[in-house]
Amino acid sequence: ARVKRLRLRPRVCGPRRASLPWQCPPSPASPWSRPPHVVFIMTDDQGYNDIGYHSGDIRTPTLDRLAAEGVKLENYYTQPICTPSRSQFITGRYQIHTGLQHSIIHPRQPNCLPLDVPTLPQRLQELGYSTHMVGKWHLGFYKRDCLPTRRGFHTYLGSLTGSVDYYTYHSCDGPGVCGYDLREGEKVAWSQAGKYSTHLYTQRVRKILASHDPAAQPLFIFLSFQAVHTPLQSPRSYVYPYRQMGNVERRKYAAMVAAVDEAVHNVTYALRKYGYYRNTVLIFSTDNGGQPLFGGSNWPLRGRKGTYWEGGIRGVGFVHSPLLRRKRRVSRALLHVTDWYPTLVRLAGGNASEGLDGHDAWAAISEGRESPRLEILRE
Ligand SMILES: *[C@@H]1O[C@H](CO)[C@@H](O)[C@H](O)[C@H]1NC(C)=O
Ligand SMILES: *[C@@H]1O[C@H](CO)[C@@H](O)[C@H](O)[C@H]1NC(C)=O
């Protein structure tokens, strides 16, 4: 008897034009009737070897599980330091288009993300999202118009500078030039001091989730942890499991990563509890490579934060979502931190055709198609 053969040919990106053999047809606009909630979690200075599934000495059971159930991004790049990376994430543009290619923005510098460049949260607001930022900004604050609340976020709680004390929120820009850096919206949040920032920020996310109706409006949360940047501080309980670790800096650092892991557990718990989870895309990403002078590790990659070696710019990242078509995968598609802007705007049902450097990478992430990108600009 003749057996009908099953046709299981996946749809691959065919050669559309001889000159552009890699070009894929555009992925369809948001395939969901309701645009997804987006939770973007960024850590600071977390290196390649600083997440459980890459590491021999750091344990992150929650991150490992979420990544294993989703798609691990194993060819993903960022910039080597904070401000340029964060500017690229939020604008979808290379730093050479925003003038932020030189260094970080220092606290006393009259500089910020150019006000005429649209931001991802602004675009998501236009598409009907409620947008919230929690944590480190580091894109300038010398005038009001630079603040997160003027750049697309309905609410903000966090620190505007590059690094602060995890409990007191004090920050110094050189000897004698110190201040308190924790804001609620556009006001100084004096009353919140004393709480470890990873806890404070996680609690804030839970409050945002609890006070929204997931069926009524899509939500975008940018949870930008201060962890695991210096200073190396964490509650003692997180250090205890690492008490045998010989390198004291690494011990403290591992504890800070553990607090982040617990925080992400709490965030996903809240996503489920309050009814968001099934329609949520959760993205986890570092902002740049780790700093081995202060406990981080990029092994086996060469270099560190601040360098253009792989260890400085290879990002740790994954996407976890029930909306992924092909889950439990490692993606080796070339991806870049500028890609989140067009990817998320498209997921939200918008179009991102305004001359961005990023590419819509959803088909590559969700379906395992080829990356729309062939190269990245580094310097
Ligand atoms: C996670 O939630 C538990 C229970 O509410 C809490 O004790 C813990 O401090 C939270 N952890 C973080 C990092 O927010
Ligand atoms: C995308 O948006 C721009 C304006 O933001 C508009 O001019 C253009 O027609 C849109 N393209 C599509 C395919 O909707």
Side-chain angles (χ1 to χ4, degrees):
R2 286 179 60 192
V3 180
K4 204 170 171 196
R5 275 226 235 131
L6 270 181
R7 291 241 186 115
L8 284 175
R9 279 232 310 271
R11 215 160 75 100
V12 290
C13 304
R16 289 218 304 176
R17 272 188 274 152
S19 58
L20 295 174
W22 64 86
Q23 194 174 45
C24 298
S27 49
S30 189
W32 303 289
S33 47
R34 284 184 301 144
H37 307 291
V38 176
V39 178
F40 195 101
I41 301 175
M42 185 172 267
T43 51
D44 197 342
D45 291 3
Q46 186 174 13
Y48 184 81
N49 191 32
D50 298 334
I51 191 159
Y53 59 83
H54 283 172
S55 182
D57 61 350
I58 286 208
R59 292 180 294 277
T60 55
T62 298
L63 298 177
D64 291 3
R65 183 177 52 75
L66 293 174
E69 290 168 2
V71 176
K72 289 177 188 162
L73 309 179
E74 291 297 328
N75 196 9
Y76 168 53
Y77 287 87
T78 64
Q79 280 290 304
I81 48 173
C82 295
T83 300
S85 242
R86 289 157 194 271
S87 74
Q88 295 194 348
F89 162 65
I90 213 166
T91 65
R93 288 168 162 85
Y94 290 140
Q95 72 280 21
I96 52 165
H97 297 306
T98 52
L100 295 173
Q101 69 271 34
H102 303 293
S103 180
I104 60 163
I105 295 177
H106 294 273
R108 282 177 288 171
Q109 254 183 316
N111 188 16
C112 74
L113 188 71
L115 301 178
D116 57 345
V117 180
T119 67
L120 172 62
Q122 280 171 340
R123 291 298 314 276
L124 293 177
Q125 275 186 353
E126 287 165 19
L127 293 164
Y129 275 66
S130 175
T131 60
H132 306 268
M133 177 164 175
V134 184
K136 170 170 161 173
W137 173 245
H138 213 181
L139 292 173
F141 60 95
Y142 78 104
K143 56 184 180 183
R144 243 173 226 285
D145 286 342
C146 301
L147 296 177
T149 40
R150 309 279 170 119
R151 301 311 321 269
F153 291 103
H154 288 118
T155 72
Y156 175 69
L157 171 71
S159 295
L160 298 172
T161 60
S163 92
V164 298
D165 185 284
Y166 279 77
Y167 295 95
T168 65
Y169 299 91
H170 272 274
S171 170
C172 292
D173 188 27
V177 190
C178 297
Y180 179 77
D181 181 17
L182 185 66
R183 306 272 170 143
E184 165 74 64
E186 298 180 5
K187 297 212 169 67
V188 181
W190 294 109
S191 65
Q192 307 272 20
K195 232 173 244 164
Y196 185 59
S197 82
T198 304
H199 289 160
L200 177 68
Y201 295 160
T202 308
Q203 212 172 59
R204 171 64 165 228
V205 169
R206 195 185 55 76
K207 277 184 193 153
I208 294 168
L209 293 172
S211 60
H212 255 81
D213 175 1
Q217 192 184 16
L219 206 61
F220 172 58
I221 298 178
F222 178 25
L223 171 53
S224 173
F225 283 118
Q226 178 193 341
V228 288
H229 197 289
T230 51
L232 301 179
Q233 296 173 300
S234 84
R236 196 178 281 263
S237 59
Y238 298 102
V239 186
Y240 190 74
Y242 289 105
R243 65 195 178 281
Q244 309 289 8
M245 203 177 243
N247 181 330
V248 176
E249 307 261 287
R250 183 86 176 144
R251 188 189 306 166
K252 292 179 184 168
Y253 183 94
M256 293 161 76
V257 176
V260 167
D261 194 65
E262 184 185 287
V264 175
H265 170 83
N266 288 9
V267 169
T268 47
Y269 179 85
L271 285 170
R272 287 178 195 273
K273 176 172 175 186
Y274 298 112
Y276 294 84
Y277 179 75
R278 292 172 65 84
N279 194 33
T280 294
V281 175
L282 185 143
I283 300 164
F284 183 88
S285 169
T286 183
D287 67 337
N288 49 244
Q291 174 53 281
L293 298 172
F294 302 110
S297 168
N298 305 303
W299 192 89
L301 305 180
R302 182 178 188 177
R304 58 182 164 85
K305 173 191 185 181
T307 72
Y308 279 97
W309 298 110
E310 287 284 305
I313 56 173
R314 179 79 82 80
V316 168
F318 65 83
V319 179
H320 176 95
S321 173
L323 303 171
L324 290 165
R325 290 245 177 93
R326 292 181 53 206
K327 303 182 186 64
R328 301 183 172 278
R329 263 186 334 108
V330 171
S331 168
R332 308 216 178 264
L334 181 63
L335 299 175
H336 186 251
V337 65
T338 50
D339 295 336
W340 298 118
Y341 179 118
T343 302
L344 295 176
V345 166
R346 285 295 301 277
L347 272 185
N351 93 49
S353 52
E354 63 260 39
L356 301 171
D357 297 309
H359 296 263
D360 174 4
W362 186 249
I365 295 168
S366 171
E367 297 165 34
R369 306 232 306 233
E370 274 182 59
S371 170
R373 162 187 286 289
L374 284 182
E375 59 183 13
I376 57 175
L377 177 75
R378 305 215 300 191
E379 299 193 49

